[in-house]
Amino acid sequence: MDRRALSDYLACLLDINRIRDFSPNGLQVEGRDCIASIVTGVTASAALIDAALAEGADAILVHHGYFWRGEDGRITGIRRQRLKRLLANDVNLFAYHLPLDVHPELGNNAQLGRQLGLSAQSRFGENDLGWLGVPEDAAVRTVGDLAQLVDQRLGRSPMVIGDAAQPLGQVGWCTGAAQGYLDDAIAAGAGTYLSGEISEQTVHLARETGVAYLACGHHATERYGIQALGQHLAGRFGIRHRFIDIDNPV
């Protein structure tokens, strides 16, 4: 597939111009023109680049790319080493941050909901990033039940703030570093909220409002959207696709 055609298709599919973001969405590093094989991963780390090169990929698609707002823009150190690997091997790098989080079918929040069997009923927060719903399995009734499900499905034991025996109520969720959306989730009617990370103030807000909070891992919660995107491209265009999971405990 032609690189420009792929870039244009993804820009339309993910509606990248609708959302103001912290980094550029789309093609971040230009490589070869023809793309027949892609590797997807959460973050464009050196380990992912090396794995993609070993796979013979023409392009890498990630959720966390480069050139974040407020960063030093000089091409030195780790940034130089990463870019050198890509440029020397003529490999394209595509990155999609908030547009991938928010997509109603392929997005991180949509896919995490599917992993955990959460049926979405509404959205909340800026850009409707947060999702609100209830478990599809009637047996998942308490905070402890949901924590156990996270452990089983994501392979990670969440940090739980709240009483494991308390009823879930409506469940709000937003992947990654969305602990700051707890206020919005509470305003939307959530009795339980889960995200990837946790901050010091998150604990106090959860305790004082009685809304349980589950920190399930930034990486762990954001593995599924980019996989779904790669699978979608493979099915639509016949591009070879492999998701490579570079372990990250955060």
Side-chain angles (χ1 to χ4, degrees):
M1 186 177 186
D2 178 73
R3 181 188 62 244
R4 182 183 294 275
L6 177 60
S7 180
D8 290 347
Y9 177 79
L10 287 168
C12 181
L13 175 68
L14 299 175
D15 199 8
I16 66 173
N17 295 318
R18 184 173 69 86
I19 298 175
R20 293 185 61 187
D21 210 338
F22 312 104
S23 66
N25 289 291
L27 181 64
Q28 290 192 340
V29 179
E30 184 178 308
R32 59 188 66 116
D33 293 332
C34 184
I35 297 173
S37 174
I38 60 173
V39 158
T40 57
V42 177
T43 299
S45 63
L48 180 66
I49 294 170
D50 287 345
L53 294 178
E55 191 72 17
D58 301 307
I60 303 171
L61 272 68
V62 296
H63 180 50
H64 301 135
Y66 303 150
F67 314 113
W68 298 91
R69 184 189 305 162
E71 280 188 342
D72 187 333
R74 289 175 289 185
I75 309 300
T76 60
I78 290 174
R79 175 177 287 180
R80 175 183 178 273
Q81 292 301 318
R82 290 174 173 177
L83 292 176
K84 181 180 178 181
R85 284 176 169 89
L86 293 168
L87 293 169
N89 291 278
D90 209 19
V91 173
N92 296 278
L93 175 69
F94 294 85
Y96 300 94
H97 186 231
L98 293 182
L100 184 61
D101 286 322
V102 79
H103 194 275
E105 295 178 11
L106 304 175
N108 283 321
N109 287 316
Q111 292 296 317
L112 181 63
R114 291 177 184 174
Q115 288 292 323
L116 298 179
L118 298 173
S119 177
Q121 299 175 329
S122 61
R123 308 275 288 269
F124 64 88
E126 186 178 5
N127 295 312
D128 285 336
L129 273 173
W131 290 51
L132 188 71
V134 294
E136 296 170 352
D137 184 351
V140 181
R141 294 176 293 182
T142 68
V143 171
D145 292 335
L146 182 59
Q148 185 176 20
L149 184 63
V150 168
D151 194 0
Q152 293 170 351
R153 298 287 175 84
L154 304 190
R156 180 189 175 101
S157 297
M159 178 182 290
V160 178
I161 308 300
D163 184 355
Q166 75 185 68
L168 282 175
Q170 293 191 93
V171 179
W173 71 94
C174 190
T175 66
Q179 61 268 43
Y181 270 52
L182 178 55
D183 271 320
D184 293 313
I186 293 169
T192 302
Y193 178 64
L194 67 85
S195 185
E197 297 188 21
I198 187 167
S199 299
E200 190 272 346
Q201 63 267 27
T202 313
V203 176
H204 300 295
L205 181 58
R207 287 174 175 170
E208 292 171 24
T209 59
V211 173
Y213 182 83
L214 281 71
C216 306
H218 193 136
H219 178 86
T221 57
E222 295 196 325
R223 289 177 295 186
Y224 304 103
I226 199 69
Q227 287 186 67
L229 182 60
Q231 290 163 1
H232 171 83
L233 295 174
R236 185 174 182 88
F237 299 110
I239 298 173
R240 294 192 306 276
H241 165 244
R242 183 185 174 196
F243 170 73
I244 297 177
D245 191 16
I246 305 298
D247 181 61
N248 189 324
V250 173

